[in-house]
Amino acid sequence: MTHKKRFVEKNSILVKEFDRYILEHPEFADKIPDNALVVMHIEGDEEFNSWAKETAESVAEKDNQIVYVTITELKPVRSRIEKLNLQLAA
Amino acid sequence: MLVLVILSFGIRICFGFRATNIKRYTFRHFVPIAIPQSRVEAGFKPAPTGWRAVPPLPYRSLYRRQMQEKKYLILLDINARKRHYHATEAGKIIKFVIQLELRSGGVWKEVIRYDCAHDYAHKDCYNVKGKCRKINLYLDYEDALTLADDDINENWEIYRERFLRGDFP
């Protein structure tokens, strides 16, 4: 997998997490200026962060203020299943 | 009597008809001004009356119902971005637009748009020529917004591929 593809996939995962966070914490969205371009960063991955920054700078238009959202802590991925059954084929 | 009628119409003309709602205020609608202790310590002196008007109940609910809007873009790739717009009233989504946009030939084009124009949640799919296909979602706005975010986040690369090929995403 090329670096770029890895970064795009990582960015998609972070965007998903961000959208979920905004749904649960709508007050966070109030801090984002109107028409801003939101760019995801993650603490500790400088290579990814610089790719995101460069990409954002080339994508942003005159009226788009770039806003960097840095995720500093992520919960481990856990199953959401609360109950399940197992059935063996005869 | 005539003087009172003329005066009443005079007030209505000068201050607008809404100003006459003041008659709905009774003693129940005046509450004492609560002054924070910090302001008292700083030497703040309340106004001589020490009371403030609170709008009557039907008007109070109108004051609270303020629409809040939010719009921003999310970077997906060098030629892909997601446009997010939502408006809430009393914590409920009353309008939304979630749109996938791709840059093709130096121009940003809409590819997929989830929105609630014409008062129902739907999805518009565009091809590279700008033709549109509409899909009714039969969902309430909250669920449609969640679906829109999830769908675009999960599938935007597939939609990009199809769109650039000339197909409907």
Side-chain angles (χ1 to χ4, degrees), chain A residues 27-84:
Chain A
E27 70 285 353
F28 187 84
D30 296 340
K31 295 179 199 165
I32 302 171
D34 273 354
N35 284 324
L37 177 68
V38 176
V39 181
M40 300 309 298
H41 274 184
I42 187 149
E43 204 174 54
D45 191 342
E46 294 315 314
E47 221 180 333
F48 169 78
N49 292 347
S50 64
W51 168 84
K53 189 171 182 259
E54 281 166 26
T55 310
E57 282 165 0
S58 66
V59 164
E61 289 167 336
K62 276 180 196 170
D63 61 333
N64 300 142
Q65 189 184 349
I66 298 177
V67 174
Y68 295 104
V69 175
T70 307
I71 295 176
T72 51
E73 213 177 314
L74 261 176
K75 277 186 200 164
V77 181
R78 290 197 178 122
S79 167
R80 290 184 297 142
I81 299 170
E82 289 199 342
K83 283 181 187 172
L84 77 171

Side-chain angles (χ1 to χ4, degrees), chain B residues 65-123:
Chain B
R65 280 195 182 178
Q66 281 184 337
M67 189 173 82
Q68 288 185 316
E69 291 179 296
K70 188 45 65 185
K71 53 181 173 182
Y72 52 85
L73 295 160
I74 295 184
L75 174 82
L76 295 173
D77 197 0
I78 194 137
N79 62 353
R81 67 187 186 188
K82 186 172 75 167
R83 186 174 292 278
H84 182 108
Y85 165 83
H86 74 252
T88 55
E89 207 176 77
K92 269 197 93 172
I93 302 282
I94 55 160
K95 274 193 268 179
F96 74 93
V97 178
I98 306 290
Q99 182 167 284
L100 171 65
E101 297 175 354
L102 294 179
R103 190 161 55 178
S104 164
V107 184
W108 287 98
K109 291 180 177 172
E110 53 206 4
V111 177
I112 286 195
R113 183 174 57 235
Y114 285 88
D115 74 343
C116 57
H118 312 296
D119 296 330
Y120 72 102
H122 60 271
K123 177 183 180 182

Side-chain angles (χ1 to χ4, degrees), chain B residues 102 110-112 125-131 133 158-169:
Chain B
L102 294 179
E110 53 206 4
V111 177
I112 286 195
C125 302
Y126 293 88
N127 71 4
V128 77
K129 289 177 185 167
K131 282 190 177 174
R133 274 182 190 168
I158 300 166
Y159 294 146
R160 174 171 68 178
E161 209 180 292
R162 288 188 198 156
F163 180 82
L164 295 176
R165 213 164 49 203
D167 297 340
F168 277 99

Side-chain angles (χ1 to χ4, degrees), chain B residues 17-66:
Chain B
F17 281 76
R18 278 189 182 185
T20 55
N21 284 337
I22 196 85
K23 71 182 177 189
R24 290 174 186 270
Y25 285 74
T26 66
F27 71 94
R28 290 183 298 120
H29 301 120
F30 288 84
V31 295
I33 296 168
I35 304 154
Q37 189 59 30
S38 57
R39 292 194 73 186
V40 175
E41 281 163 11
F44 174 81
K45 283 177 187 165
T49 55
W51 297 81
R52 70 182 167 86
V54 175
L57 265 175
Y59 297 95
R60 223 179 291 169
S61 60
L62 286 177
Y63 280 82
R64 276 193 206 134
R65 280 195 182 178
Q66 281 184 337

